[in-house]
Amino acid sequence: MSDEAKTLAAAAALDLVEDGMRLGIGTGSTAAAFIDLLGARVAQGLTVTGVPTSERSARQCRDLSIPLTTLDETPELDLAVDGADEFDPALNLIKGGGGALLREKIVAAAAARFVVIADAGKQVDVLGRFPLPVEIVPMAMHPLSLRIAGWGAQVTLRQTAPGEPFVSDEGHHILDCAFGPSIGNPAELARRLSALPGVVEHGLFCGMAERVIIGHADRVETLMG
């Protein structure tokens, strides 16, 4: 996705932000473009408070003097804006490529409206091309890997560049589960994954997005749920 397309999608989402709103602020490159634009509006006098979905986004917000809060202090949000790794025509999503899926889902669920910004390359007919992130407690890695592999997925423990297991902001590991070429029933797979002991959260966001704003090089389009 070009920088221009990211900025256009982010700007369209920013048009939904009103003075005094309590915002969920996402993670990823397109969300970072939204944070940059939001910071400029705050500098011009817009009054908002935000709950970031990652430490990375929190640092960017602080650098731009965007006021932050927590869900302990502000448990109900007006609007959450975040990216996605894939979305289908029903606005089911795969998220978590950046490793923030747990906080992203908590924040999205706390918001009255959840808006996704993404590029056209993230649009698919059926989810599954992008490996599904599943956040787990470390001790459950081997049994969960075997169980999910038994469902037909190729399961890989996410690692950092030096070869150590990736650790999420909440201290968990992530299994990247390639169900490709398609996940026929995302809601059913979400239910099955959530029922497994040791699974903290998964990257299937079903029935949560109000709309997806799709950025192109010179325009945006919006899909409504």
Side-chain angles (χ1 to χ4, degrees), residues 132-159:
L132 174 65
V134 179
E135 188 161 343
I136 65 166
V137 296
M139 72 169 292
M141 180 187 68
H142 290 298
L144 285 174
S145 295
L146 288 172
R147 176 68 67 86
I148 297 170
W151 297 348
Q154 184 175 24
V155 181
T156 304
L157 177 67
R158 187 177 298 187
Q159 296 183 329

mmCIF file with all atom_site columns, all heavy atoms in Angstrom, residues 132-159:
data_model
loop_
_atom_site.group_PDB
_atom_site.id
_atom_site.type_symbol
_atom_site.label_atom_id
_atom_site.label_alt_id
_atom_site.label_comp_id
_atom_site.label_asym_id
_atom_site.label_entity_id
_atom_site.label_seq_id
_atom_site.pdbx_PDB_ins_code
_atom_site.Cartn_x
_atom_site.Cartn_y
_atom_site.Cartn_z
_atom_site.occupancy
_atom_site.B_iso_or_equiv
_atom_site.pdbx_formal_charge
_atom_site.auth_seq_id
_atom_site.auth_comp_id
_atom_site.auth_asym_id
_atom_site.auth_atom_id
_atom_site.pdbx_PDB_model_num
ATOM 1   N N   . LEU A 1 132 ? -3.322 -17.140 10.199 1.00 0.00 ? 132 LEU A N   1
ATOM 2   C CA  . LEU A 1 132 ? -4.111 -16.650 11.326 1.00 0.00 ? 132 LEU A CA  1
ATOM 3   C C   . LEU A 1 132 ? -3.270 -16.643 12.599 1.00 0.00 ? 132 LEU A C   1
ATOM 4   O O   . LEU A 1 132 ? -2.810 -17.688 13.050 1.00 0.00 ? 132 LEU A O   1
ATOM 5   C CB  . LEU A 1 132 ? -5.335 -17.545 11.512 1.00 0.00 ? 132 LEU A CB  1
ATOM 6   C CG  . LEU A 1 132 ? -6.196 -17.258 12.737 1.00 0.00 ? 132 LEU A CG  1
ATOM 7   C CD1 . LEU A 1 132 ? -6.840 -15.875 12.629 1.00 0.00 ? 132 LEU A CD1 1
ATOM 8   C CD2 . LEU A 1 132 ? -7.253 -18.342 12.910 1.00 0.00 ? 132 LEU A CD2 1
ATOM 9   N N   . PRO A 1 133 ? -3.070 -15.477 13.222 1.00 0.00 ? 133 PRO A N   1
ATOM 10  C CA  . PRO A 1 133 ? -2.343 -15.442 14.494 1.00 0.00 ? 133 PRO A CA  1
ATOM 11  C C   . PRO A 1 133 ? -3.233 -15.936 15.639 1.00 0.00 ? 133 PRO A C   1
ATOM 12  O O   . PRO A 1 133 ? -4.402 -15.575 15.746 1.00 0.00 ? 133 PRO A O   1
ATOM 13  C CB  . PRO A 1 133 ? -2.002 -13.955 14.673 1.00 0.00 ? 133 PRO A CB  1
ATOM 14  C CG  . PRO A 1 133 ? -2.208 -13.336 13.320 1.00 0.00 ? 133 PRO A CG  1
ATOM 15  C CD  . PRO A 1 133 ? -3.316 -14.130 12.699 1.00 0.00 ? 133 PRO A CD  1
ATOM 16  N N   . VAL A 1 134 ? -2.646 -16.769 16.486 1.00 0.00 ? 134 VAL A N   1
ATOM 17  C CA  . VAL A 1 134 ? -3.330 -17.261 17.681 1.00 0.00 ? 134 VAL A CA  1
ATOM 18  C C   . VAL A 1 134 ? -2.413 -17.001 18.869 1.00 0.00 ? 134 VAL A C   1
ATOM 19  O O   . VAL A 1 134 ? -1.302 -17.537 18.928 1.00 0.00 ? 134 VAL A O   1
ATOM 20  C CB  . VAL A 1 134 ? -3.664 -18.765 17.566 1.00 0.00 ? 134 VAL A CB  1
ATOM 21  C CG1 . VAL A 1 134 ? -4.350 -19.254 18.839 1.00 0.00 ? 134 VAL A CG1 1
ATOM 22  C CG2 . VAL A 1 134 ? -4.539 -19.039 16.344 1.00 0.00 ? 134 VAL A CG2 1
ATOM 23  N N   . GLU A 1 135 ? -2.863 -16.167 19.798 1.00 0.00 ? 135 GLU A N   1
ATOM 24  C CA  . GLU A 1 135 ? -2.045 -15.807 20.959 1.00 0.00 ? 135 GLU A CA  1
ATOM 25  C C   . GLU A 1 135 ? -2.271 -16.844 22.052 1.00 0.00 ? 135 GLU A C   1
ATOM 26  O O   . GLU A 1 135 ? -3.411 -17.163 22.404 1.00 0.00 ? 135 GLU A O   1
ATOM 27  C CB  . GLU A 1 135 ? -2.408 -14.406 21.440 1.00 0.00 ? 135 GLU A CB  1
ATOM 28  C CG  . GLU A 1 135 ? -1.471 -13.882 22.517 1.00 0.00 ? 135 GLU A CG  1
ATOM 29  C CD  . GLU A 1 135 ? -1.520 -12.364 22.662 1.00 0.00 ? 135 GLU A CD  1
ATOM 30  O OE1 . GLU A 1 135 ? -2.025 -11.686 21.740 1.00 0.00 ? 135 GLU A OE1 1
ATOM 31  O OE2 . GLU A 1 135 ? -1.025 -11.874 23.691 1.00 0.00 ? 135 GLU A OE2 1
ATOM 32  N N   . ILE A 1 136 ? -1.175 -17.367 22.612 1.00 0.00 ? 136 ILE A N   1
ATOM 33  C CA  . ILE A 1 136 ? -1.257 -18.500 23.542 1.00 0.00 ? 136 ILE A CA  1
ATOM 34  C C   . ILE A 1 136 ? -0.374 -18.260 24.751 1.00 0.00 ? 136 ILE A C   1
ATOM 35  O O   . ILE A 1 136 ? 0.559  -17.465 24.716 1.00 0.00 ? 136 ILE A O   1
ATOM 36  C CB  . ILE A 1 136 ? -0.826 -19.805 22.851 1.00 0.00 ? 136 ILE A CB  1
ATOM 37  C CG1 . ILE A 1 136 ? 0.653  -19.744 22.455 1.00 0.00 ? 136 ILE A CG1 1
ATOM 38  C CG2 . ILE A 1 136 ? -1.699 -20.110 21.629 1.00 0.00 ? 136 ILE A CG2 1
ATOM 39  C CD1 . ILE A 1 136 ? 1.267  -21.069 22.068 1.00 0.00 ? 136 ILE A CD1 1
ATOM 40  N N   . VAL A 1 137 ? -0.661 -18.991 25.836 1.00 0.00 ? 137 VAL A N   1
ATOM 41  C CA  . VAL A 1 137 ? 0.271  -19.018 26.952 1.00 0.00 ? 137 VAL A CA  1
ATOM 42  C C   . VAL A 1 137 ? 1.422  -19.946 26.559 1.00 0.00 ? 137 VAL A C   1
ATOM 43  O O   . VAL A 1 137 ? 1.218  -20.974 25.902 1.00 0.00 ? 137 VAL A O   1
ATOM 44  C CB  . VAL A 1 137 ? -0.404 -19.477 28.253 1.00 0.00 ? 137 VAL A CB  1
ATOM 45  C CG1 . VAL A 1 137 ? -1.468 -18.496 28.682 1.00 0.00 ? 137 VAL A CG1 1
ATOM 46  C CG2 . VAL A 1 137 ? -1.000 -20.865 28.104 1.00 0.00 ? 137 VAL A CG2 1
ATOM 47  N N   . PRO A 1 138 ? 2.659  -19.603 26.928 1.00 0.00 ? 138 PRO A N   1
ATOM 48  C CA  . PRO A 1 138 ? 3.818  -20.351 26.423 1.00 0.00 ? 138 PRO A CA  1
ATOM 49  C C   . PRO A 1 138 ? 3.785  -21.840 26.713 1.00 0.00 ? 138 PRO A C   1
ATOM 50  O O   . PRO A 1 138 ? 4.179  -22.651 25.865 1.00 0.00 ? 138 PRO A O   1
ATOM 51  C CB  . PRO A 1 138 ? 4.993  -19.660 27.110 1.00 0.00 ? 138 PRO A CB  1
ATOM 52  C CG  . PRO A 1 138 ? 4.539  -18.241 27.293 1.00 0.00 ? 138 PRO A CG  1
ATOM 53  C CD  . PRO A 1 138 ? 3.066  -18.364 27.627 1.00 0.00 ? 138 PRO A CD  1
ATOM 54  N N   . MET A 1 139 ? 3.319  -22.255 27.888 1.00 0.00 ? 139 MET A N   1
ATOM 55  C CA  . MET A 1 139 ? 3.385  -23.677 28.229 1.00 0.00 ? 139 MET A CA  1
ATOM 56  C C   . MET A 1 139 ? 2.473  -24.541 27.361 1.00 0.00 ? 139 MET A C   1
ATOM 57  O O   . MET A 1 139 ? 2.646  -25.765 27.296 1.00 0.00 ? 139 MET A O   1
ATOM 58  C CB  . MET A 1 139 ? 3.045  -23.894 29.712 1.00 0.00 ? 139 MET A CB  1
ATOM 59  C CG  . MET A 1 139 ? 1.588  -23.695 30.065 1.00 0.00 ? 139 MET A CG  1
ATOM 60  S SD  . MET A 1 139 ? 1.183  -24.259 31.749 1.00 0.00 ? 139 MET A SD  1
ATOM 61  C CE  . MET A 1 139 ? 1.369  -26.029 31.608 1.00 0.00 ? 139 MET A CE  1
ATOM 62  N N   . ALA A 1 140 ? 1.524  -23.936 26.676 1.00 0.00 ? 140 ALA A N   1
ATOM 63  C CA  . ALA A 1 140 ? 0.583  -24.690 25.847 1.00 0.00 ? 140 ALA A CA  1
ATOM 64  C C   . ALA A 1 140 ? 1.031  -24.809 24.402 1.00 0.00 ? 140 ALA A C   1
ATOM 65  O O   . ALA A 1 140 ? 0.292  -25.344 23.576 1.00 0.00 ? 140 ALA A O   1
ATOM 66  C CB  . ALA A 1 140 ? -0.793 -24.030 25.911 1.00 0.00 ? 140 ALA A CB  1
ATOM 67  N N   . MET A 1 141 ? 2.238  -24.344 24.078 1.00 0.00 ? 141 MET A N   1
ATOM 68  C CA  . MET A 1 141 ? 2.646  -24.261 22.682 1.00 0.00 ? 141 MET A CA  1
ATOM 69  C C   . MET A 1 141 ? 2.567  -25.606 21.964 1.00 0.00 ? 141 MET A C   1
ATOM 70  O O   . MET A 1 141 ? 1.973  -25.719 20.887 1.00 0.00 ? 141 MET A O   1
ATOM 71  C CB  . MET A 1 141 ? 4.067  -23.709 22.572 1.00 0.00 ? 141 MET A CB  1
ATOM 72  C CG  . MET A 1 141 ? 4.566  -23.600 21.134 1.00 0.00 ? 141 MET A CG  1
ATOM 73  S SD  . MET A 1 141 ? 6.310  -23.150 21.014 1.00 0.00 ? 141 MET A SD  1
ATOM 74  C CE  . MET A 1 141 ? 7.099  -24.631 21.667 1.00 0.00 ? 141 MET A CE  1
ATOM 75  N N   . HIS A 1 142 ? 3.159  -26.643 22.524 1.00 0.00 ? 142 HIS A N   1
ATOM 76  C CA  . HIS A 1 142 ? 3.222  -27.920 21.805 1.00 0.00 ? 142 HIS A CA  1
ATOM 77  C C   . HIS A 1 142 ? 1.858  -28.591 21.671 1.00 0.00 ? 142 HIS A C   1
ATOM 78  O O   . HIS A 1 142 ? 1.483  -29.008 20.558 1.00 0.00 ? 142 HIS A O   1
ATOM 79  C CB  . HIS A 1 142 ? 4.249  -28.843 22.461 1.00 0.00 ? 142 HIS A CB  1
ATOM 80  C CG  . HIS A 1 142 ? 5.665  -28.384 22.272 1.00 0.00 ? 142 HIS A CG  1
ATOM 81  N ND1 . HIS A 1 142 ? 6.257  -28.275 21.033 1.00 0.00 ? 142 HIS A ND1 1
ATOM 82  C CD2 . HIS A 1 142 ? 6.590  -27.982 23.166 1.00 0.00 ? 142 HIS A CD2 1
ATOM 83  C CE1 . HIS A 1 142 ? 7.491  -27.826 21.169 1.00 0.00 ? 142 HIS A CE1 1
ATOM 84  N NE2 . HIS A 1 142 ? 7.722  -27.643 22.447 1.00 0.00 ? 142 HIS A NE2 1
ATOM 85  N N   . PRO A 1 143 ? 1.068  -28.727 22.749 1.00 0.00 ? 143 PRO A N   1
ATOM 86  C CA  . PRO A 1 143 ? -0.248 -29.348 22.541 1.00 0.00 ? 143 PRO A CA  1
ATOM 87  C C   . PRO A 1 143 ? -1.159 -28.548 21.623 1.00 0.00 ? 143 PRO A C   1
ATOM 88  O O   . PRO A 1 143 ? -1.895 -29.132 20.816 1.00 0.00 ? 143 PRO A O   1
ATOM 89  C CB  . PRO A 1 143 ? -0.826 -29.449 23.966 1.00 0.00 ? 143 PRO A CB  1
ATOM 90  C CG  . PRO A 1 143 ? 0.001  -28.563 24.813 1.00 0.00 ? 143 PRO A CG  1
ATOM 91  C CD  . PRO A 1 143 ? 1.345  -28.497 24.175 1.00 0.00 ? 143 PRO A CD  1
ATOM 92  N N   . LEU A 1 144 ? -1.096 -27.220 21.711 1.00 0.00 ? 144 LEU A N   1
ATOM 93  C CA  . LEU A 1 144 ? -1.937 -26.421 20.823 1.00 0.00 ? 144 LEU A CA  1
ATOM 94  C C   . LEU A 1 144 ? -1.475 -26.522 19.379 1.00 0.00 ? 144 LEU A C   1
ATOM 95  O O   . LEU A 1 144 ? -2.298 -26.580 18.464 1.00 0.00 ? 144 LEU A O   1
ATOM 96  C CB  . LEU A 1 144 ? -1.946 -24.960 21.277 1.00 0.00 ? 144 LEU A CB  1
ATOM 97  C CG  . LEU A 1 144 ? -2.792 -24.658 22.512 1.00 0.00 ? 144 LEU A CG  1
ATOM 98  C CD1 . LEU A 1 144 ? -2.610 -23.207 22.942 1.00 0.00 ? 144 LEU A CD1 1
ATOM 99  C CD2 . LEU A 1 144 ? -4.271 -24.951 22.257 1.00 0.00 ? 144 LEU A CD2 1
ATOM 100 N N   . SER A 1 145 ? -0.166 -26.543 19.173 1.00 0.00 ? 145 SER A N   1
ATOM 101 C CA  . SER A 1 145 ? 0.345  -26.693 17.811 1.00 0.00 ? 145 SER A CA  1
ATOM 102 C C   . SER A 1 145 ? -0.140 -27.992 17.191 1.00 0.00 ? 145 SER A C   1
ATOM 103 O O   . SER A 1 145 ? -0.574 -28.029 16.026 1.00 0.00 ? 145 SER A O   1
ATOM 104 C CB  . SER A 1 145 ? 1.873  -26.649 17.814 1.00 0.00 ? 145 SER A CB  1
ATOM 105 O OG  . SER A 1 145 ? 2.350  -25.392 18.232 1.00 0.00 ? 145 SER A OG  1
ATOM 106 N N   . LEU A 1 146 ? -0.096 -29.070 17.956 1.00 0.00 ? 146 LEU A N   1
ATOM 107 C CA  . LEU A 1 146 ? -0.555 -30.360 17.449 1.00 0.00 ? 146 LEU A CA  1
ATOM 108 C C   . LEU A 1 146 ? -2.054 -30.348 17.179 1.00 0.00 ? 146 LEU A C   1
ATOM 109 O O   . LEU A 1 146 ? -2.513 -30.851 16.149 1.00 0.00 ? 146 LEU A O   1
ATOM 110 C CB  . LEU A 1 146 ? -0.207 -31.463 18.455 1.00 0.00 ? 146 LEU A CB  1
ATOM 111 C CG  . LEU A 1 146 ? 1.272  -31.829 18.567 1.00 0.00 ? 146 LEU A CG  1
ATOM 112 C CD1 . LEU A 1 146 ? 1.485  -32.793 19.734 1.00 0.00 ? 146 LEU A CD1 1
ATOM 113 C CD2 . LEU A 1 146 ? 1.775  -32.452 17.273 1.00 0.00 ? 146 LEU A CD2 1
ATOM 114 N N   . ARG A 1 147 ? -2.828 -29.764 18.101 1.00 0.00 ? 147 ARG A N   1
ATOM 115 C CA  . ARG A 1 147 ? -4.278 -29.758 17.942 1.00 0.00 ? 147 ARG A CA  1
ATOM 116 C C   . ARG A 1 147 ? -4.686 -28.948 16.703 1.00 0.00 ? 147 ARG A C   1
ATOM 117 O O   . ARG A 1 147 ? -5.489 -29.406 15.884 1.00 0.00 ? 147 ARG A O   1
ATOM 118 C CB  . ARG A 1 147 ? -4.937 -29.161 19.186 1.00 0.00 ? 147 ARG A CB  1
ATOM 119 C CG  . ARG A 1 147 ? -6.451 -29.017 19.102 1.00 0.00 ? 147 ARG A CG  1
ATOM 120 C CD  . ARG A 1 147 ? -7.147 -30.370 19.075 1.00 0.00 ? 147 ARG A CD  1
ATOM 121 N NE  . ARG A 1 147 ? -6.956 -31.036 20.335 1.00 0.00 ? 147 ARG A NE  1
ATOM 122 C CZ  . ARG A 1 147 ? -7.733 -30.871 21.417 1.00 0.00 ? 147 ARG A CZ  1
ATOM 123 N NH1 . ARG A 1 147 ? -8.778 -30.047 21.358 1.00 0.00 ? 147 ARG A NH1 1
ATOM 124 N NH2 . ARG A 1 147 ? -7.512 -31.532 22.520 1.00 0.00 ? 147 ARG A NH2 1
ATOM 125 N N   . ILE A 1 148 ? -4.115 -27.764 16.551 1.00 0.00 ? 148 ILE A N   1
ATOM 126 C CA  . ILE A 1 148 ? -4.515 -26.904 15.433 1.00 0.00 ? 148 ILE A CA  1
ATOM 127 C C   . ILE A 1 148 ? -3.995 -27.469 14.112 1.00 0.00 ? 148 ILE A C   1
ATOM 128 O O   . ILE A 1 148 ? -4.677 -27.402 13.088 1.00 0.00 ? 148 ILE A O   1
ATOM 129 C CB  . ILE A 1 148 ? -4.024 -25.467 15.675 1.00 0.00 ? 148 ILE A CB  1
ATOM 130 C CG1 . ILE A 1 148 ? -4.694 -24.889 16.930 1.00 0.00 ? 148 ILE A CG1 1
ATOM 131 C CG2 . ILE A 1 148 ? -4.334 -24.574 14.473 1.00 0.00 ? 148 ILE A CG2 1
ATOM 132 C CD1 . ILE A 1 148 ? -4.116 -23.568 17.394 1.00 0.00 ? 148 ILE A CD1 1
ATOM 133 N N   . ALA A 1 149 ? -2.807 -28.080 14.134 1.00 0.00 ? 149 ALA A N   1
ATOM 134 C CA  . ALA A 1 149 ? -2.309 -28.740 12.928 1.00 0.00 ? 149 ALA A CA  1
ATOM 135 C C   . ALA A 1 149 ? -3.239 -29.874 12.507 1.00 0.00 ? 149 ALA A C   1
ATOM 136 O O   . ALA A 1 149 ? -3.414 -30.143 11.311 1.00 0.00 ? 149 ALA A O   1
ATOM 137 C CB  . ALA A 1 149 ? -0.897 -29.259 13.151 1.00 0.00 ? 149 ALA A CB  1
ATOM 138 N N   . GLY A 1 150 ? -3.856 -30.523 13.486 1.00 0.00 ? 150 GLY A N   1
ATOM 139 C CA  . GLY A 1 150 ? -4.805 -31.588 13.187 1.00 0.00 ? 150 GLY A CA  1
ATOM 140 C C   . GLY A 1 150 ? -6.064 -31.094 12.495 1.00 0.00 ? 150 GLY A C   1
ATOM 141 O O   . GLY A 1 150 ? -6.804 -31.889 11.911 1.00 0.00 ? 150 GLY A O   1
ATOM 142 N N   . TRP A 1 151 ? -6.298 -29.799 12.543 1.00 0.00 ? 151 TRP A N   1
ATOM 143 C CA  . TRP A 1 151 ? -7.426 -29.199 11.832 1.00 0.00 ? 151 TRP A CA  1
ATOM 144 C C   . TRP A 1 151 ? -7.051 -28.780 10.415 1.00 0.00 ? 151 TRP A C   1
ATOM 145 O O   . TRP A 1 151 ? -7.846 -28.164 9.715  1.00 0.00 ? 151 TRP A O   1
ATOM 146 C CB  . TRP A 1 151 ? -7.943 -27.978 12.579 1.00 0.00 ? 151 TRP A CB  1
ATOM 147 C CG  . TRP A 1 151 ? -8.488 -28.269 13.943 1.00 0.00 ? 151 TRP A CG  1
ATOM 148 C CD1 . TRP A 1 151 ? -8.765 -29.491 14.477 1.00 0.00 ? 151 TRP A CD1 1
ATOM 149 C CD2 . TRP A 1 151 ? -8.828 -27.316 14.942 1.00 0.00 ? 151 TRP A CD2 1
ATOM 150 N NE1 . TRP A 1 151 ? -9.249 -29.360 15.753 1.00 0.00 ? 151 TRP A NE1 1
ATOM 151 C CE2 . TRP A 1 151 ? -9.309 -28.041 16.064 1.00 0.00 ? 151 TRP A CE2 1
ATOM 152 C CE3 . TRP A 1 151 ? -8.773 -25.927 15.011 1.00 0.00 ? 151 TRP A CE3 1
ATOM 153 C CZ2 . TRP A 1 151 ? -9.726 -27.415 17.234 1.00 0.00 ? 151 TRP A CZ2 1
ATOM 154 C CZ3 . TRP A 1 151 ? -9.198 -25.291 16.174 1.00 0.00 ? 151 TRP A CZ3 1
ATOM 155 C CH2 . TRP A 1 151 ? -9.672 -26.024 17.274 1.00 0.00 ? 151 TRP A CH2 1
ATOM 156 N N   . GLY A 1 152 ? -5.825 -29.091 10.009 1.00 0.00 ? 152 GLY A N   1
ATOM 157 C CA  . GLY A 1 152 ? -5.419 -28.820 8.640  1.00 0.00 ? 152 GLY A CA  1
ATOM 158 C C   . GLY A 1 152 ? -4.547 -27.600 8.445  1.00 0.00 ? 152 GLY A C   1
ATOM 159 O O   . GLY A 1 152 ? -4.270 -27.210 7.304  1.00 0.00 ? 152 GLY A O   1
ATOM 160 N N   . ALA A 1 153 ? -4.092 -26.978 9.529  1.00 0.00 ? 153 ALA A N   1
ATOM 161 C CA  . ALA A 1 153 ? -3.268 -25.778 9.418  1.00 0.00 ? 153 ALA A CA  1
ATOM 162 C C   . ALA A 1 153 ? -1.790 -26.118 9.493  1.00 0.00 ? 153 ALA A C   1
ATOM 163 O O   . ALA A 1 153 ? -1.387 -27.093 10.142 1.00 0.00 ? 153 ALA A O   1
ATOM 164 C CB  . ALA A 1 153 ? -3.613 -24.786 10.528 1.00 0.00 ? 153 ALA A CB  1
ATOM 165 N N   . GLN A 1 154 ? -0.983 -25.319 8.846  1.00 0.00 ? 154 GLN A N   1
ATOM 166 C CA  . GLN A 1 154 ? 0.459  -25.359 9.040  1.00 0.00 ? 154 GLN A CA  1
ATOM 167 C C   . GLN A 1 154 ? 0.775  -24.351 10.142 1.00 0.00 ? 154 GLN A C   1
ATOM 168 O O   . GLN A 1 154 ? 0.537  -23.158 9.994  1.00 0.00 ? 154 GLN A O   1
ATOM 169 C CB  . GLN A 1 154 ? 1.196  -25.003 7.754  1.00 0.00 ? 154 GLN A CB  1
ATOM 170 C CG  . GLN A 1 154 ? 2.709  -25.128 7.867  1.00 0.00 ? 154 GLN A CG  1
ATOM 171 C CD  . GLN A 1 154 ? 3.388  -24.878 6.531  1.00 0.00 ? 154 GLN A CD  1
ATOM 172 O OE1 . GLN A 1 154 ? 2.833  -24.213 5.655  1.00 0.00 ? 154 GLN A OE1 1
ATOM 173 N NE2 . GLN A 1 154 ? 4.584  -25.410 6.362  1.00 0.00 ? 154 GLN A NE2 1
ATOM 174 N N   . VAL A 1 155 ? 1.309  -24.827 11.255 1.00 0.00 ? 155 VAL A N   1
ATOM 175 C CA  . VAL A 1 155 ? 1.455  -24.015 12.459 1.00 0.00 ? 155 VAL A CA  1
ATOM 176 C C   . VAL A 1 155 ? 2.925  -23.686 12.691 1.00 0.00 ? 155 VAL A C   1
ATOM 177 O O   . VAL A 1 155 ? 3.781  -24.579 12.690 1.00 0.00 ? 155 VAL A O   1
ATOM 178 C CB  . VAL A 1 155 ? 0.872  -24.740 13.685 1.00 0.00 ? 155 VAL A CB  1
ATOM 179 C CG1 . VAL A 1 155 ? 1.009  -23.870 14.942 1.00 0.00 ? 155 VAL A CG1 1
ATOM 180 C CG2 . VAL A 1 155 ? -0.588 -25.109 13.446 1.00 0.00 ? 155 VAL A CG2 1
ATOM 181 N N   . THR A 1 156 ? 3.199  -22.398 12.892 1.00 0.00 ? 156 THR A N   1
ATOM 182 C CA  . THR A 1 156 ? 4.560  -21.928 13.123 1.00 0.00 ? 156 THR A CA  1
ATOM 183 C C   . THR A 1 156 ? 4.579  -21.015 14.336 1.00 0.00 ? 156 THR A C   1
ATOM 184 O O   . THR A 1 156 ? 3.729  -20.118 14.458 1.00 0.00 ? 156 THR A O   1
ATOM 185 C CB  . THR A 1 156 ? 5.079  -21.142 11.902 1.00 0.00 ? 156 THR A CB  1
ATOM 186 O OG1 . THR A 1 156 ? 4.976  -21.954 10.733 1.00 0.00 ? 156 THR A OG1 1
ATOM 187 C CG2 . THR A 1 156 ? 6.535  -20.732 12.106 1.00 0.00 ? 156 THR A CG2 1
ATOM 188 N N   . LEU A 1 157 ? 5.527  -21.245 15.245 1.00 0.00 ? 157 LEU A N   1
ATOM 189 C CA  . LEU A 1 157 ? 5.709  -20.331 16.368 1.00 0.00 ? 157 LEU A CA  1
ATOM 190 C C   . LEU A 1 157 ? 6.364  -19.058 15.853 1.00 0.00 ? 157 LEU A C   1
ATOM 191 O O   . LEU A 1 157 ? 7.422  -19.101 15.232 1.00 0.00 ? 157 LEU A O   1
ATOM 192 C CB  . LEU A 1 157 ? 6.589  -20.970 17.439 1.00 0.00 ? 157 LEU A CB  1
ATOM 193 C CG  . LEU A 1 157 ? 6.926  -20.079 18.645 1.00 0.00 ? 157 LEU A CG  1
ATOM 194 C CD1 . LEU A 1 157 ? 5.684  -19.779 19.469 1.00 0.00 ? 157 LEU A CD1 1
ATOM 195 C CD2 . LEU A 1 157 ? 8.010  -20.740 19.507 1.00 0.00 ? 157 LEU A CD2 1
ATOM 196 N N   . ARG A 1 158 ? 5.742  -17.911 16.088 1.00 0.00 ? 158 ARG A N   1
ATOM 197 C CA  . ARG A 1 158 ? 6.326  -16.653 15.641 1.00 0.00 ? 158 ARG A CA  1
ATOM 198 C C   . ARG A 1 158 ? 7.609  -16.370 16.423 1.00 0.00 ? 158 ARG A C   1
ATOM 199 O O   . ARG A 1 158 ? 7.653  -16.524 17.644 1.00 0.00 ? 158 ARG A O   1
ATOM 200 C CB  . ARG A 1 158 ? 5.337  -15.504 15.820 1.00 0.00 ? 158 ARG A CB  1
ATOM 201 C CG  . ARG A 1 158 ? 5.841  -14.200 15.194 1.00 0.00 ? 158 ARG A CG  1
ATOM 202 C CD  . ARG A 1 158 ? 4.832  -13.083 15.303 1.00 0.00 ? 158 ARG A CD  1
ATOM 203 N NE  . ARG A 1 158 ? 3.584  -13.395 14.585 1.00 0.00 ? 158 ARG A NE  1
ATOM 204 C CZ  . ARG A 1 158 ? 2.609  -12.522 14.416 1.00 0.00 ? 158 ARG A CZ  1
ATOM 205 N NH1 . ARG A 1 158 ? 2.709  -11.291 14.932 1.00 0.00 ? 158 ARG A NH1 1
ATOM 206 N NH2 . ARG A 1 158 ? 1.517  -12.865 13.749 1.00 0.00 ? 158 ARG A NH2 1
ATOM 207 N N   . GLN A 1 159 ? 8.629  -15.949 15.687 1.00 0.00 ? 159 GLN A N   1
ATOM 208 C CA  . GLN A 1 159 ? 9.919  -15.669 16.299 1.00 0.00 ? 159 GLN A CA  1
ATOM 209 C C   . GLN A 1 159 ? 10.409 -14.282 15.923 1.00 0.00 ? 159 GLN A C   1
ATOM 210 O O   . GLN A 1 159 ? 9.988  -13.700 14.922 1.00 0.00 ? 159 GLN A O   1
ATOM 211 C CB  . GLN A 1 159 ? 10.952 -16.718 15.878 1.00 0.00 ? 159 GLN A CB  1
ATOM 212 C CG  . GLN A 1 159 ? 10.620 -18.123 16.359 1.00 0.00 ? 159 GLN A CG  1
ATOM 213 C CD  . GLN A 1 159 ? 11.695 -19.127 15.998 1.00 0.00 ? 159 GLN A CD  1
ATOM 214 O OE1 . GLN A 1 159 ? 12.365 -18.998 14.977 1.00 0.00 ? 159 GLN A OE1 1
ATOM 215 N NE2 . GLN A 1 159 ? 11.856 -20.137 16.828 1.00 0.00 ? 159 GLN A NE2 1
#
